Amino acid sequence: MELLPITEIGPPDRSPSSKDPTIMSLVDANQAFYRVIGFNPPWIAYLAVEEGAVVGTCAFKGAPKEGVVEIAYATLTKFEGLGVATRMAQELIRAARSMDPAIRITAQTLPARNASTRVLTKCGFEQVRDVLDDEVGTIWEWELPS
C-alpha cells in the first residue's frame, strides 16, 4: 500500500484517479478540513493506493496535541472486506511511530461492534472510554498501547 499525501489544493501528486468524482470529493472534503484544523504535514490526509487503484483514504485528524494523535480511515465501497482499512491503519501507525515513538495513537468509532472496531482490535487498540461528540452523541474512544 502506498499513501499519497492530499495537499492543500488540487489532486495528490501521481494520483491514479484524479478525474474520478468520488475520489475528488474525498480530496475536497479533506482540503476543507485543513481549512478548519490547519495543514501540518505529515499529520495530514492520504489517498491509499494498491495496484494502481485508490482503495480508500486515511488521515491523522490534525497534528499531535500533548503527545496524542488521532487516526481515521475509510475504504471505498468496492474494496470493503478485503483488509484495506486494516492496512491503512497500520500504515498510519507506522508513520506516527516513526516520527515520534512515544506518541499516543487514538481513534474514535460509533458505540457498537462494527467493521471499524474490528480493524482497531486487529491493530492492537483497546477501547478506553466513552466520549460525547457534539454531532453524533456518545462514541467510543480507542487507544493503541505503547
Side-chain angles (χ1 to χ4, degrees), residues 111-127:
R113 300 289 172 206
N114 56 40
S116 193
T117 64
R118 284 190 299 279
V119 166
L120 295 173
T121 301
K122 283 189 232 175
C123 290
F125 283 76
E126 297 172 355
Q127 194 230 331

Side-chain angles (χ1 to χ4, degrees), residues 2 31 36 64 73-74 94 112 144:
E2 180 181 13
Q31 290 169 335
V36 174
Y73 43 84
R94 188 175 0 269
L144 183 64

